[in-house]
Amino acid sequence: MLNLKRLTIKDKEIITEVFTSVFTKEPWNDDWSNTNQLDMYINDLVGQGYSLTYGLFDDNELIGISLGYVKHWYSGTEYIINEFCIKTDRQRAGAGSFFIAEIEKAIKELGIKQIFLLTDSNVPAYNFYKKNGFSEEQTTRPMVKRF
């Protein structure tokens, strides 16, 4: 049975396992071999006072994570999702849509007004988010300055 649980930094080990099991494979192929960098990244996302992390469990097995934070903005409080995933072998079976719907219920109870995230348009996640009611911002553009 699928259920949503709020996670904390105490859950870092299982969060890291799910995170690396998904994002080191296709289509992302992220290189998280630098375990110190990985540890700091998970701490950044989960270990701050403004962090908001959810896990999707099937009985006692963590099968999905949503790593983000709360941002207080002029238009209302937002949940910014930095990382969202379902274990690869559990994808395309409705777990992700269930997870998003449960997160929406939970954050509404916290008074949060919207979810914001970034995703690449050339990965399956793009169509997943569109299917689940997310729309593209027409004026917001990600920008970067590399050194």
Side-chain angles (χ1 to χ4, degrees):
M1 179 168 165
L2 298 178
N3 63 354
L4 179 81
K5 290 183 185 174
R6 190 147 173 201
L7 302 177
T8 69
I9 196 67
K10 294 175 187 174
D11 303 300
K12 182 166 76 170
E13 187 176 322
I14 60 171
I15 290 168
T16 302
E17 286 174 23
V18 171
F19 177 82
T20 56
S21 78
V22 173
F23 290 112
T24 58
K25 294 185 177 108
E26 289 288 337
W28 296 275
N29 297 312
D30 294 342
D31 179 4
W32 285 106
S33 58
N34 182 333
T35 56
N36 187 51
Q37 194 72 10
L38 172 61
D39 188 60
M40 289 187 297
Y41 184 62
I42 298 298
N43 282 336
D44 285 347
L45 294 178
V46 182
Q48 308 306 316
Y50 53 83
S51 297
L52 184 55
T53 302
Y54 290 104
L56 179 65
F57 287 82
D58 187 354
D59 293 324
N60 292 323
E61 179 190 2
L62 181 64
I63 66 164
I65 53 174
S66 179
L67 312 179
Y69 64 95
V70 174
K71 178 180 174 184
H72 301 283
W73 192 237
Y74 74 91
S75 60
T77 305
E78 302 174 331
Y79 179 40
I80 311 293
I81 297 178
N82 291 100
E83 303 290 352
F84 180 94
C85 67
I86 299 293
K87 279 185 167 183
T88 305
D89 64 343
R90 301 297 299 267
Q91 293 176 6
R92 294 176 177 67
S97 295
F98 176 84
F99 194 19
I100 285 284
E102 291 298 299
I103 289 170
E104 287 179 23
K105 290 179 200 173
I107 66 174
K108 284 177 185 175
E109 291 177 9
L110 297 174
I112 296 174
K113 302 294 183 201
Q114 71 178 23
I115 297 172
F116 180 85
L117 57 82
L118 296 172
T119 193
D120 292 337
S121 60
N122 62 343
V123 295
Y126 175 81
N127 289 322
F128 165 80
Y129 290 122
K130 290 195 73 130
K131 176 183 87 170
N132 281 282
F134 286 77
S135 59
E136 290 184 66
E137 287 287 323
Q138 297 302 312
T139 57
T140 303
R141 294 290 182 256
M143 299 182 75
V144 65
K145 184 176 185 180
R146 291 188 170 84
F147 305 106

